């Protein structure tokens, strides 16, 4: 690893990259390998591989206990879990969602012929702004789908009040929020139901995986049937269903990783606090604060880049970091409304999404998790400090470089 003391030591100006291996955002947290192998062998010995086997049942109980919710139905991924939940709640017409989210949130609706109506955000939490939600309700609206982005809870009280008063279903895409709480209650207990993701990149992964969690007995029963083709017995179905089941290997991975949940959060917190110390005082770079009143997993290191102060743009910063083999990400650029099919269907959506548009151009996510340590964080921070220290000169050199290429 180069020490990166001067501008000439930056890879973007021809020096060797800081890291020989790529540093990713979203490297999986992996628990006790021996425990996982033991479970794998048990699965192979038992020859029970899927369809609600013992590991899936254990995983569901564990998630329900940790979330303090009555029902958990484990699924093959969160996207399918959202789709099944939306169908089970009989949503139709329009559902109000944020645009500043992973595209799966909107796709889960659109895939079923429901129009996602994109709503703007509260810039402090990056979640739905309830006042704007209310303005978007039409006679076609059947639901609201909030996203607890980065594990920051939506304004749950306001959304619950609106949904109740207007007779709408309330769903939370909690793909980022397993292990987080809001006002003393675990995320997973709000609205009609919530959906977690256990994808490889999440705090807890089951390789691929997701789950619907709810306190509603009837809804849980319906979802459980629907995620297994609708079967009520060997040869009868009561609903149209699909295959949304989690398999035993995924559940074994999920259970193994849950045993290290506290360790993962401890590492994340240590990383987050180190970034906070290292980046403190850097003009134009602000670390998204963690929610003070809640339990949080510190899973995301999200920077807000104010280009009027950094001079070097967010995208130039990304480019500089990528050249150093730090694969910083601009989640969730450009916003769903600027991706197909939404861009063509709602070409003017950006006009009513000023906060979304602003954030999509400011956010930069840095690597964290168990694959990242003190040395890497100090180094990434040093690169950012070096860039900001000489921002005007860097800008000049980047512009000159572009002119040369052009
Ligand atoms: N709602 C929200 C708000 C979500 O964020 C997501 C998923 C969903 C719903 C849907 O959940 P699932 O159906 O996936 O359960 C990644 C994930 O694929 C996606 O699950 C996640 N959100 C999203 C935020 O991030 P990409 O397209 O950025 O993935 P990719 O392949 O670029 O991976 C990210 C980084 O992680 C890479 O730089 C490499 C690293 N990585 C990835 C994988 C899969 C690894 O080191 N190992 C791995 O196995 O979407």
């Amino acid at each position: 690893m180069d020490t990166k003391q001067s501008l000439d030591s930056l890879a973007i100006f021809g020096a060797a990259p800081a890291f020989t291996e790529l540093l990713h955002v979203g490297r999986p947290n992996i628990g006790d390998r021996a425990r996982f192998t033991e479970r794998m062998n048990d699965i192979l010995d038992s020859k029970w591989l899927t369809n609600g086997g013992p590991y899936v049942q254990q995983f569901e109980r564990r998630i329900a206990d940790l979330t303090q919710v009555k029902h958990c139905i484990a699924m093959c991924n969160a996207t399918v879990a959202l789709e099944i939940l939306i169908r089970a709640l009989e949503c139709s017409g329009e559902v109000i969602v944020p645009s500043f989210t992973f595209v799966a949130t909107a796709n889960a609706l659109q895939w079923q012929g429901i129009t996602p109506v994109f709503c703007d955000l509260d810039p402090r939490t990056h979640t739905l702004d309830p006042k704007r939600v209310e303005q978007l309700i039409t006679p076609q609206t059947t639901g609201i789908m909030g996203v607890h982005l980065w594990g920051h809870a939506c304004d749950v009280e306001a959304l619950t009040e609106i949904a109740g008063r207007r007779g709408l279903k309330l769903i939370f895409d909690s793909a980022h929020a397993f292990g987080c709480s809001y006002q003393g209650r675990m995320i997973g207990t709000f609205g009609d139901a919530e959906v977690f993701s256990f994808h490889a990149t999440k705090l807890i992964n089951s390789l691929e995986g997701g789950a619907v969690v709810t306190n509603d007995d009837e809804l849980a029963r319906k979802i459980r049937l629907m995620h297994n083709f609708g079967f009520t017995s060997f040869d009868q179905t009561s609903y149209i269903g699909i295959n949304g089941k989690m398999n035993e290997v995924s559940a074994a991975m999920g259970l193994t990783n849950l045993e290290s949940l506290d360790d993962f959060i401890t590492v994340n917190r240590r990383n987050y606090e180190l970034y906070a110390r290292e980046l403190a005082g850097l003009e134009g770079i602000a670390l998204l604060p963690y929610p003070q009143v809640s339990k949080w997993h510190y899973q995301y290191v999200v920077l807000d880049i104010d280009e009027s102060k950094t001079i070097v743009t967010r995208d130039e910063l990304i480019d500089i970091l990528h050249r150093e083999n730090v694969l910083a990400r601009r989640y969730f650029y450009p916003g769903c409304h600027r991706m197909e099919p939404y861009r063509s269907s709602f070409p003017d959506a950006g006009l009513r999404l000023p906060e979304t548009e602003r954030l999509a151009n400011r956010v930069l996510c840095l690597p964290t998790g168990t694959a990242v340590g003190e040395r890497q964080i100090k180094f990434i921070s040093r690169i950012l400090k070096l860039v900001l220290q000489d921002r005007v000169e860097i800008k000049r050199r980047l512009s000159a470089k572009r002119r040369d290429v052009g």
Side-chain angles (χ1 to χ4, degrees):
M1 201 158 62
D2 195 310
T3 49
K4 305 283 172 196
Q5 303 287 5
S6 69
L7 296 193
D8 288 326
S9 64
L10 290 175
I12 197 146
F13 297 130
F19 299 98
T20 45
E21 284 184 11
L22 291 176
L23 271 186
H24 296 272
V25 175
R27 213 76 173 133
N29 293 324
I30 296 177
D32 186 332
R33 216 173 265 240
R35 227 17 222 121
F36 177 62
T37 311
E38 213 176 281
R39 287 179 164 131
M40 281 288 295
N41 285 330
D42 188 40
I43 291 167
L44 297 178
D45 289 344
S46 74
K47 301 204 167 23
W48 196 279
L49 307 184
T50 184
N51 290 11
Y55 284 105
V56 166
Q57 289 176 31
Q58 270 184 56
F59 183 66
E60 289 179 338
R61 275 198 301 278
R62 197 79 193 97
I63 296 297
D65 287 350
L66 287 165
T67 307
Q68 294 156 24
V69 70
K70 270 169 93 176
H71 305 283
C72 168
I73 302 104
M75 303 256 186
C76 51
N77 60 56
T79 308
V80 168
L82 282 170
E83 286 172 7
I84 293 174
L85 171 60
I86 290 160
R87 192 174 271 266
L89 286 171
E90 296 173 21
C91 290
S92 61
E94 298 174 355
V95 169
I96 298 170
V97 286
S99 170
F100 193 62
T101 177
F102 191 57
V103 73
T105 314
N107 285 356
L109 294 160
Q110 183 75 29
W111 191 257
Q112 309 190 67
I114 299 169
T115 305
V117 175
F118 295 119
C119 181
D120 217 5
L121 304 169
D122 177 341
R124 290 164 308 165
T125 58
H126 299 187
T127 64
L128 279 181
D129 178 344
K131 284 194 291 301
R132 292 175 194 267
V133 168
E134 185 106 42
Q135 291 160 2
L136 293 172
I137 297 173
T138 72
Q140 283 70 49
T141 310
T142 56
I144 302 168
M145 181 148 77
V147 179
H148 302 304
L149 207 74
W150 324 123
H152 284 243
C154 296
D155 186 341
V156 173
E157 292 96 336
L159 294 177
T160 306
E161 192 279 322
I162 295 169
R165 180 162 43 80
R166 305 294 293 258
L168 303 174
K169 303 294 183 196
L170 180 61
I171 300 171
F172 291 104
D173 173 343
S174 311
H176 294 191
F178 174 71
C180 301
S181 74
Y182 176 67
Q183 310 282 19
R185 255 173 78 179
M186 291 308 284
I187 288 183
T189 57
F190 299 107
D192 290 286
E194 305 202 35
V195 168
F196 293 132
S197 171
F198 302 110
H199 181 262
T201 53
K202 299 294 185 280
L203 171 70
I204 291 294
N205 81 80
S206 58
L207 309 171
E208 287 269 4
V212 176
V213 282
T214 180
N215 282 316
D216 182 329
D217 299 342
E218 184 46 33
L219 181 64
R221 196 186 71 82
K222 189 172 178 184
I223 289 171
R224 194 168 284 291
L225 293 175
M226 283 181 140
H227 96 308
N228 184 28
F229 311 99
F231 278 123
T232 46
S233 63
F234 275 146
D235 40 25
Q236 282 303 317
T237 59
S238 59
Y239 299 106
I240 177 165
I242 196 169
N243 184 355
K245 289 169 279 139
M246 177 178 273
N247 67 65
E248 288 290 277
V249 175
S250 282
M253 182 68 166
L255 280 166
T256 306
N257 288 334
L258 279 173
E259 285 160 6
S260 298
L261 175 65
D262 291 342
D263 298 338
F264 296 158
I265 295 177
T266 301
V267 169
N268 280 348
R269 181 172 188 160
R270 188 197 63 203
N271 289 352
Y272 179 94
E273 288 174 347
L274 183 56
Y275 272 122
R277 281 198 301 279
E278 291 290 315
L279 300 176
L282 278 190
E283 207 190 350
I285 294 192
L287 179 59
L288 186 71
Y290 58 86
Q292 299 278 349
V293 292
S294 306
K295 199 167 166 182
W296 198 48
H297 51 26
Y298 299 85
Q299 171 73 2
Y300 301 98
V301 172
V302 182
L303 301 186
D304 180 284
I305 309 296
D306 179 351
E307 294 178 354
S308 71
K309 302 211 171 85
T310 56
I311 315 288
V312 175
T313 65
R314 187 274 308 266
D315 289 353
E316 285 168 340
L317 282 175
I318 293 260
D319 199 13
I320 290 168
L321 289 170
H322 282 201
R323 300 297 184 98
E324 304 290 353
N325 282 339
V326 178
L327 285 192
R329 297 290 293 258
R330 44 184 190 172
Y331 287 125
F332 285 97
Y333 176 86
C336 297
H337 68 288
R338 288 191 177 271
M339 297 167 98
E340 292 298 353
Y342 314 109
R343 184 173 51 188
S344 298
S345 309
F346 316 110
D348 300 326
L351 296 175
R352 61 175 161 79
L353 299 168
E355 284 303 335
T356 303
E357 298 250 298
R358 203 180 64 86
L359 276 177
N361 289 303
R362 291 170 70 105
V363 164
L364 184 158
C365 294
L366 290 176
T368 184
T370 47
V372 180
E374 184 179 337
R375 198 177 61 106
Q376 285 107 330
I377 292 174
K378 287 196 164 160
F379 224 90
I380 294 168
S381 305
R382 191 184 309 165
I383 294 165
L384 290 173
K385 282 181 207 165
L386 184 59
V387 170
L388 288 206
Q389 196 181 295
D390 279 321
R391 61 191 88 183
V392 176
E393 176 58 9
I394 295 232
K395 190 74 185 177
R396 192 193 63 73
R397 288 175 70 165
L398 288 177
S399 307
K401 205 163 165 256
R402 273 194 294 269
R403 271 198 307 277
D404 288 350
V405 173

